[in-house]
Amino acid sequence: LLGEPQGSSVDLFALAAIVVYALCGQPPFGDGDAPTILARQLAGAADLSRFASPIQEWLRRALATSIEDRFRDATEMKQAWRHAVGVMRRRERAAWWRRDKVRKR
């Protein structure tokens, strides 16, 4: 809308907006007409107060107005998400869901 070059940061921004909507059922910059939503977006006026601090920080970065302030790529974004929610890597997960494959002593 502003004539800026587009790249992967736009996709990552969109993903963060989808995460907000999926978690709380509301768009990150509220409802209204397109100019109102764009004004909120450019002002960085997403209401993230309902989220825990680590998630707020992740969303703030992902939804940053300036492209330079956003995640560089999807790998960095994923790593930051895992850190924010405390998700362990697959190989570190407990095998409780594979009980039939765990030997009993």
Side-chain angles (χ1 to χ4, degrees):
L1 293 172
L2 300 175
E4 297 172 332
Q6 303 299 305
S8 62
S9 66
V10 174
D11 296 329
L12 301 178
F13 180 96
L15 176 61
I18 291 168
V19 168
V20 171
Y21 193 83
L23 292 177
C24 68
Q26 298 176 346
F29 300 101
D31 295 322
D33 59 9
T36 301
I37 294 169
L38 181 59
R40 288 185 199 131
Q41 179 183 339
L42 292 173
D47 179 14
L48 306 175
S49 62
R50 67 191 84 185
F51 301 106
S53 293
I55 302 299
Q56 283 182 25
E57 292 171 27
W58 185 87
L59 288 168
R60 224 175 260 112
R61 183 168 177 197
L63 297 171
T65 303
S66 171
I67 291 172
E68 293 81 25
D69 294 336
R70 295 183 197 158
F71 295 105
R72 289 182 314 234
D73 56 36
T75 300
E76 181 183 26
M77 186 180 202
K78 180 177 80 172
Q79 289 171 343
W81 175 259
R82 285 184 172 182
H83 176 74
V85 297
V87 175
M88 295 183 293
R89 289 187 204 107
R90 172 174 246 147
R91 68 177 178 266
E92 297 170 345
R93 289 186 188 159
W96 63 266
W97 53 274
R98 290 189 281 167
R99 291 177 196 261
D100 60 328
K101 296 185 182 190
V102 176
R103 291 183 182 175
K104 294 183 181 181
R105 293 182 186 235

